Amino acid sequence: MKEIFVFAKVKGGKQFIGMFGDMESLHDDVDETLATKNRLDLADDVYFLSNGVEYKLFVL
């Protein structure tokens, strides 16, 4: 079940990146998703929600 909500904080709000289900591979999955969507510019501003708590995710 995918329950980790990943987004980037951008000017004016949040940019949805995806829903993921595994903390162990979260970094690699998000990195791959950003590369696939050609949105590596968002890498410095990526956050995720897990159990209602917001965390910064360091990618690349």
Side-chain angles (χ1 to χ4, degrees):
M1 185 162 105
K2 296 183 178 186
E3 50 190 51
I4 303 170
F5 179 84
V6 179
F7 60 94
K9 289 186 177 179
V10 295
K11 186 177 181 179
K14 297 177 181 177
Q15 172 70 45
F16 176 73
I17 295 173
M19 297 291 291
F20 302 89
D22 185 13
M23 286 297 289
E24 290 182 21
S25 64
L26 183 62
H27 182 277
D28 292 336
D29 292 343
V30 170
D31 190 33
E32 182 179 329
T33 299
L34 290 176
T36 301
K37 292 182 177 183
N38 204 21
R39 291 306 312 257
L40 294 175
D41 58 309
L42 299 176
D44 291 335
D45 301 309
V46 175
Y47 293 80
F48 67 94
L49 289 175
S50 181
N51 295 325
V53 179
E54 183 177 293
Y55 299 94
K56 172 95 170 126
L57 180 67
F58 296 96
V59 293
L60 298 177

